[in-house]
Amino acid sequence: MSDATLPKGYEPADVEARWGKHWEDNKTFSPDPAEVLSGEKQPYSIVIPPPNVTGALHMGHALNLTLQDILCRFMRQQGKSVLWVPGTDHAGIATQNVVERQLKKEGKKRDDLGREAFIERVWDWKKEYGDRILNQIRRMGASVDWTSERFTLDEGLSKAVREVFVRLYGEGLIYKGNYIVNWCNRCHTALADDEVEHAPKKGKLYRIRYALADGSGELIVATTRPETLLGDVAVAVHPEDERYTFAIGKKVILPLVGKEIPVIADAYVDKEFGTGCLKITPAHDMNDWALARTHGLEVIPVIDDKGDMNENAPEAYRGMGKNACRDKVVEDLEALGLLVDIADHDHSVGECYRCKSVIEPHVSEQWFVKVAPLAKAAREAVPAQTKIFPAQWEKTYYEWLDNIRDWCISRQIWWGHRIPAWTCEACGELIVQTEDPTNCPKCGGALKQEDDVLDTWFSSALWPFSTLGWPEKTDKLKAYYPTGVLVTGFDILFFWVARMMMMGIHFQEQVPFHHVYIHALVRDEQGKKMSKSTGNVIDPLEMIGKYGTDSLRFTLTAFAAMGRDIKLSEKRIEGYRHFVNKIWNSARFALMNMEGAPRAELKDAQGLANRWILHRLEEVKDEVESATLEYRFNDIAQGLYRFIWNEFCDWYVEMAKGDLYGTDEAAKEATRKVLLTVLSETMVLLHPVMPFVTQEIWTALPGITNPDLATVRYPERRPQFKSEQAARDMAFFQGVVGATRAIRTELCIDPAKKLPLIIDTAGDNPNAFDIIHNNMALIMSLARIDSVIYAPGNDGPYASGTAIVEGCRIFVPLEGLVDFSTELARLDKELGKLDKQLAALKGKLSAPGFANNAPADIVAAENEKLAGIEDAKAKMTELQERLKSALAEEA
RNA sequence: GGGCGGAUAGCUCAGUUGGCAGAGCAUCGGCCUUACAAGCCGGGGGUCGCAGGUUCGAGCCCUGUUCCGCCCA
């Protein structure tokens, strides 16, 4: 678009496709590390939180991408060398499940294919569908560097993963051991603590008699899982629980099994819960496991990895499913008279975050990272080297790191980074190294690699440096590590952020990012989590189709700092589409009035409107910059919204029409220049939030030297245009126009009717006379007035609508046009407002101690305010009295 | 059970060193005023969850309390 016109309506789809392609084809967002290494530019980098390769763009992604894009585009405007790395996560369990479902349709299982073929199959799937989410990122307008795209399972990242694993193993920070883990019977794998979700469930609490072996009585034990009693190794009571002190050290007979187990004392037991007697099943309960360790108790698993009772259970129960076994155990206990009762009991149950199956604590051999040393460094780095925004999350971060347990990193699935450890089948030697060994270095025997793969988060934890080429010492790594900020939701603060901190510090000796910005979760308008099953999902792509990317981005930005959750509804997006339209139309207006005006440097500002809008523009530049640097995204959006709509469109453009449509060529030229300057600089300020509409308008502006707005620098400051005087003068002008309009509307004057206006400029504003004198034509057009009489001390006719603006009385003569009882009532209402303010102010000023204790400037300001209101009240009362008596005389 | 956050207009929420409670949407009234009816002009609407405290002054700071949400156990 070269000529200075714009089509009547903004067509987002066309513009987005065109510019998206332009930016990608021109590699606009692919920086050269050399410009950083040479010292020419400062680096600014962000690594994208890699979405699951199986994923589809949802509102959380849309928010996350929008905020990062605002930062990246803004930093480019600041002259930084900006690298935003895109990519996807291989998402072990999720992706494997997708392909397994595919196989199921063909009537096959993964075992039918075997490991190699299955993995091949997953790669095929990835090739076919893995780009979906990436293309959706494109549609958000994200200014990522596509030449830097990575996948957590690609070759380079695999190298990084092996390097890290081998080094940690060498340092004794990775070990293999028996441990109780969260086990999903369905996914057939161990899960990390934070992959387990806790959901409230209705359950039962069973009370069961355990007889003391010496026949001196019985203990009644409360449990929610009676089937696990087959694996009990002790009963525990609180050491200070007087009901049971007699039993401590004795033995009880384990029902249905018949063996004797000890009664132990431990302060962990909650005296209030159930009966105060806790049965200890170390193999099937996390807490019992811990208790068994401190008391040196045996661990007897009775449930196997499929959820069935194993050979340690009495013969009657072997092979039964755990649920069936529970029924049988209860039945048998009842038959033996050992069951006291069953009560309803609500408790929280762990579920697999992938398939929602109930988690079964399970003892097995797994690989672990010893995290305590890593966690210590990660904790200490905050906030000195890495600052978390908002800072309240620091506490949560510390809380987690202080209570961290070793990280179970092995998963019994196939899709993922296979653990680089081999066991010699001959001598049992364990080999851990980056390169695949051929045979045992000790005895030459055949080797077998570990079957397990690594937790997906293990590779994600390396993302900030693995994507930059580590373990190679690449220019990219040197230039862009550490990254500037990590932008993410709080839900993965632990899964991911804390682990990146640990790995980054350990392997790069530097934190992976200077800042962490934690943003809200996007919920539906009722505040519920969006989910497909609830059917309350608002699809970002659908919204983009209906309202355009810019509308969606602006909406998310405007709500970005509003607390922890964003309640989103389609109506809001639709509302901000109106804003996009408003911007478009204001640009159309400006271009219609440019007539190819040459772009020349702005030297001075003439006229109230120009002086004022340039002053405001300077303020907005400051606001947008500081808000962006401080991650106050909603302030960026709101500041620009107000400026563009309520100031630029509603006032400036309307006032500019005076010059633009007038005959004073010099004024016309000056105003064109200001109009073009404000419009074009506003497009730059808004570009990070709304890249497309601003770019499209930018291209149409006359005199543009750089047509690609994405590479245009942030506007220079013009401090000479900052003018508090202009702001004050404008406020008075707006007051006069606003008061006049209000009189018209509230007295129901025909809008077409032109009225005269009389202003007594002898008020509190020393510039009143000049402001009115110099802007008479504007007042006439904005307030629909046909004549203005202004002079200090002038009285208008009593038969007027009246108002007080900064102590100036304004009169709209309405003789014969209205019923003046309406005006009297209107003045009553206004006086009522003044009285309210007066009462509050007087109360404050007369309060004992105010004059003495409050700062002098506050006292002076309050007194001035009081004088102003009292003056206005006196004047208004007088006007009302005058009108009243005149009306009485007439009658 | 431990921790964190929220409660402000009908709705969704701003409110950055304590100094006259704001916005958007919704609502009511009036306008096709030559960029925009996806618009313009004007109006109404709040005991800032509750109870105390600090202060000349509290939506904001402190204590307690109720309700809601989230995380961890």
Side-chain angles (χ1 to χ4, degrees):
Chain A
M1 181 142 338
S2 54
D3 60 320
T5 57
L6 289 172
K8 191 155 164 60
Y10 173 60
E11 297 294 339
D14 161 58
V15 173
E16 287 161 19
R18 188 149 37 81
W19 281 103
K21 185 172 184 318
H22 174 91
W23 286 322
E24 193 165 343
D25 289 350
N26 286 275
K27 297 194 167 51
T28 309
F29 306 127
S30 303
D32 181 359
E35 65 191 13
V36 173
L37 298 174
S38 69
E40 181 196 338
K41 283 189 175 181
Q42 293 287 316
Y44 186 82
S45 54
I46 294 183
V47 289
I48 205 170
N52 286 357
V53 67
T54 53
L57 191 80
H58 57 62
M59 273 301 168
H61 295 126
L63 172 68
N64 181 255
L65 292 166
T66 298
L67 301 184
Q68 290 173 82
D69 196 45
I70 289 171
L71 295 170
C72 285
R73 288 183 187 266
F74 174 82
M75 290 301 175
R76 266 180 222 111
Q77 295 179 332
Q78 301 289 322
K80 300 258 170 80
S81 174
V82 175
L83 173 67
W84 186 10
V85 178
T88 45
D89 191 296
H90 69 279
I93 296 175
T95 311
Q96 177 158 329
N97 281 350
V98 166
V99 177
E100 282 190 77
R101 271 200 298 275
Q102 234 182 26
L103 285 176
K104 203 176 169 189
K105 280 185 197 154
E106 301 165 20
K108 287 187 219 157
K109 285 199 214 140
R110 66 168 149 146
D111 291 310
D112 300 337
L113 272 71
R115 186 168 190 140
E116 299 288 314
F118 179 80
I119 290 173
E120 200 59 38
R121 186 71 194 247
V122 183
W123 277 109
D124 289 345
W125 181 90
K126 195 253 173 190
K127 267 180 218 132
E128 196 168 343
Y129 301 105
D131 284 346
R132 176 176 64 170
I133 186 86
L134 295 171
N135 288 327
Q136 293 171 335
I137 289 172
R138 284 181 168 87
R139 296 207 52 197
M140 285 302 300
S143 61
V144 299
D145 173 16
W146 289 109
T147 66
S148 293
E149 184 205 326
R150 301 308 292 264
F151 179 52
T152 53
L153 204 54
D154 69 24
E155 202 182 322
L157 270 62
S158 301
K159 260 176 116 173
V161 164
R162 278 203 174 188
E163 182 73 24
V164 164
F165 188 95
V166 171
R167 282 212 219 164
L168 288 176
Y169 182 79
E171 294 166 41
L173 293 175
I174 282 183
Y175 65 92
K176 193 178 183 182
N178 263 315
Y179 202 80
I180 190 160
V181 293
N182 306 295
W183 184 264
C184 177
N185 291 319
R186 202 215 66 86
C187 298
H188 215 260
T189 181
L191 295 173
D193 288 342
D194 39 25
E195 287 171 329
V196 178
E197 289 174 353
H198 296 267
K201 277 248 167 91
K202 289 200 188 304
K204 306 275 185 202
L205 190 65
Y206 303 83
R207 294 202 297 167
I208 302 164
R209 296 178 211 280
Y210 285 41
L212 284 159
D214 61 7
S216 62
E218 62 179 18
L219 294 181
I220 296 174
V221 166
T223 180
T224 58
R225 302 195 54 196
E227 74 280 12
T228 62
L229 76 76
L230 304 175
D232 281 3
V233 297
V235 168
V237 297
H238 195 281
E240 284 151 30
D241 192 337
E242 286 162 11
R243 294 173 295 177
Y244 302 120
T245 37
F246 77 95
I248 296 170
K250 292 187 177 178
K251 304 246 173 181
V252 289
I253 298 166
L254 184 58
L256 306 179
V257 179
K259 72 170 175 182
E260 294 186 5
I261 56 174
V263 177
I264 61 169
D266 195 292
Y268 165 79
V269 179
D270 181 357
K271 286 191 278 187
E272 308 302 322
F273 184 82
T275 58
C277 292
L278 181 67
K279 64 186 218 46
I280 305 297
T281 321
H284 300 291
D285 184 282
M286 295 287 176
N287 297 312
D288 293 5
W289 165 268
L291 225 51
R293 281 199 147 184
T294 44
H295 291 271
L297 298 169
E298 199 186 349
V299 177
I300 305 172
V302 290
I303 304 172
D304 68 13
D305 58 9
K306 295 184 195 68
D308 298 334
M309 306 311 290
N310 70 7
E311 70 283 358
N312 293 328
E315 201 167 345
Y317 307 102
R318 270 175 219 162
M320 293 179 87
K322 61 179 178 178
N323 292 326
C325 178
R326 175 181 302 180
D327 296 341
K328 182 83 165 58
V329 164
V330 172
E331 195 187 312
D332 292 349
L333 287 171
E334 196 159 22
L336 293 168
L338 295 175
L339 184 67
V340 180
D341 57 18
I342 306 174
D344 287 333
H345 177 65
D346 296 342
H347 59 142
S348 100
V349 172
E351 291 179 344
C352 172
Y353 81 132
R354 286 291 174 215
C355 73
K356 307 293 171 198
S357 303
V358 173
I359 291 302
E360 182 65 51
H362 180 78
V363 177
S364 58
E365 189 168 58
Q366 303 286 346
W367 290 85
F368 292 87
V369 174
K370 197 169 165 185
V371 284
L374 301 170
K376 187 168 178 284
R379 190 195 198 284
E380 284 166 359
V382 173
Q385 292 147 68
T386 297
K387 244 178 115 177
I388 300 180
F389 298 84
Q392 71 203 41
W393 289 106
E394 282 176 11
K395 234 179 188 171
T396 314
Y397 175 82
Y398 295 145
E399 196 70 27
W400 188 73
L401 285 175
D402 290 344
N403 297 304
I404 198 165
R405 290 198 285 173
D406 283 357
W407 173 19
C408 173
I409 51 169
S410 43
R411 295 290 182 277
Q412 290 69 47
I413 56 175
W414 287 347
W415 177 242
H417 295 281
R418 196 163 173 181
I419 290 176
W422 292 262
T423 311
C424 175
E425 288 177 323
C427 71
E429 176 77 0
L430 184 67
I431 298 135
V432 174
Q433 61 182 53
T434 53
E435 302 301 328
D436 288 13
T438 46
N439 46 25
C440 178
K442 217 174 179 182
C443 72
L447 296 172
K448 186 177 182 310
Q449 187 173 4
E450 288 288 312
D451 281 329
D452 293 357
V453 300
L454 290 164
D455 178 8
T456 303
W457 295 107
F458 191 89
S459 48
S460 311
L462 318 181
W463 189 246
F465 51 92
S466 62
T467 51
L468 299 176
W470 190 87
E472 308 302 324
K473 291 192 178 77
T474 60
D475 283 351
K476 232 183 195 172
L477 184 67
K478 279 184 240 166
Y480 298 108
Y481 189 95
T483 64
V485 64
L486 183 91
V487 179
T488 186
F490 63 83
D491 49 339
I492 51 175
L493 185 63
F494 307 141
F495 281 85
W496 193 42
V497 178
R499 287 170 185 164
M500 283 191 287
M501 287 290 287
M502 295 187 219
M503 293 300 190
I505 293 168
H506 196 72
F507 288 97
Q508 307 302 319
E509 286 158 12
Q510 273 189 88
V511 292
F513 17 76
H514 298 301
H515 292 168
V516 174
Y517 178 73
I518 304 285
H519 63 243
L521 288 190
V522 183
R523 296 172 178 278
D524 78 357
E525 54 192 316
Q526 263 94 44
K528 281 187 289 220
K529 211 167 175 174
M530 288 190 188
S531 75
K532 277 183 200 155
S533 52
T534 321
N536 61 346
V537 173
I538 302 178
D539 177 9
L541 296 165
E542 191 190 326
M543 295 301 107
I544 288 171
K546 281 171 93 165
Y547 308 110
T549 300
D550 289 334
S551 307
L552 174 63
R553 288 173 58 122
F554 195 87
T555 308
L556 292 169
T557 307
F559 284 89
M562 291 186 170
R564 188 175 286 190
D565 299 338
I566 295 177
K567 292 183 197 166
L568 190 75
S569 74
E570 182 168 347
K571 264 175 115 177
R572 292 168 201 288
I573 304 166
E574 192 186 349
Y576 282 118
R577 190 251 316 241
H578 297 177
F579 180 47
V580 177
N581 186 248
K582 188 76 178 174
I583 296 165
W584 183 256
N585 277 303
S586 68
R588 278 183 68 217
F589 167 82
L591 290 168
M592 281 174 188
N593 288 284
M594 279 310 144
E595 291 165 23
R599 209 168 157 84
E601 190 46 38
L602 208 58
K603 284 193 285 289
D604 55 356
Q606 297 293 326
L608 177 61
N610 289 335
R611 286 193 299 128
W612 167 71
I613 200 71
L614 287 169
H615 163 74
R616 283 291 300 135
L617 179 63
E618 290 310 304
E619 288 189 330
V620 171
K621 285 178 196 173
D622 291 344
E623 282 167 27
V624 168
E625 182 172 300
S626 59
T628 310
L629 291 171
E630 292 163 29
Y631 305 104
R632 289 182 284 112
F633 294 100
N634 59 323
D635 287 345
I636 303 173
Q638 265 170 27
L640 285 167
Y641 185 97
R642 285 179 75 120
F643 177 68
I644 293 171
W645 199 317
N646 301 122
E647 300 184 313
F648 180 68
C649 291
D650 288 351
W651 287 96
Y652 179 73
V653 164
E654 292 308 315
M655 291 169 83
K657 283 175 182 172
D659 286 341
L660 295 173
Y661 296 163
T663 51
D664 181 340
E665 288 304 320
K668 192 185 282 193
E669 199 46 45
T671 294
R672 275 186 186 152
K673 217 182 272 182
V674 174
L675 178 62
L676 182 59
T677 300
V678 175
L679 177 67
S680 58
E681 294 196 349
T682 303
M683 289 306 102
V684 184
L685 297 181
L686 189 59
H687 181 256
V689 184
M690 289 192 177
F692 295 111
V693 73
T694 52
Q695 171 69 70
E696 187 69 358
I697 290 169
W698 179 263
T699 318
L701 296 176
I704 295 297
T705 49
N706 178 357
D708 190 345
L709 183 53
T711 59
V712 169
R713 294 287 295 258
Y714 201 78
E716 303 256 335
R717 298 300 205 283
R718 294 191 191 83
Q720 70 272 27
F721 289 141
K722 271 203 179 166
S723 166
E724 292 304 328
Q725 189 60 54
R728 274 197 298 275
D729 290 353
M730 184 63 186
F732 178 71
F733 178 86
Q734 287 174 313
V736 170
V737 171
T740 311
R741 284 168 169 172
I743 289 170
R744 292 195 68 116
T745 310
E746 286 174 50
L747 297 180
C748 304
I749 312 288
D750 175 7
K753 176 83 183 163
K754 294 262 182 157
L755 300 171
L757 176 67
I758 297 165
I759 308 176
D760 167 11
T761 52
D764 303 333
N765 190 322
N767 286 351
F769 186 92
D770 289 341
I771 295 168
I772 302 303
H773 175 75
N774 295 330
N775 297 286
M776 218 164 70
L778 287 178
I779 293 176
M780 283 162 57
S781 66
L782 295 182
R784 312 215 58 139
I785 292 297
D786 60 6
S787 72
V788 180
I789 299 168
Y790 53 97
N794 268 11
D795 266 353
Y798 71 86
S800 298
T802 53
I804 315 289
V805 178
E806 295 189 34
C808 295
R809 299 180 304 163
I810 73 172
F811 302 82
V812 180
L814 297 168
E815 178 82 66
L817 287 172
V818 296
D819 173 3
F820 278 94
S821 61
T822 315
E823 172 65 2
L824 287 175
R826 202 183 68 88
L827 291 173
D828 273 338
K829 197 187 75 189
E830 293 299 319
L831 282 167
K833 279 190 209 164
L834 290 178
D835 277 334
K836 228 170 144 184
Q837 289 178 41
L838 218 48
L841 257 181
K842 275 185 173 162
K844 185 185 219 175
L845 283 163
S846 64
F850 177 77
N852 297 330
N853 295 331
D857 55 330
I858 297 281
V859 176
E862 297 290 304
N863 274 313
E864 202 176 317
K865 231 182 272 172
L866 179 72
I869 295 171
E870 277 182 331
D871 174 61
K873 187 187 169 183
K875 283 175 175 159
M876 196 173 282
T877 307
E878 194 237 311
L879 289 169
Q880 194 189 32
E881 287 307 320
R882 203 164 63 110
L883 180 57
K884 251 187 219 168
S885 53
L887 291 175
E889 240 170 70
E890 275 176 17

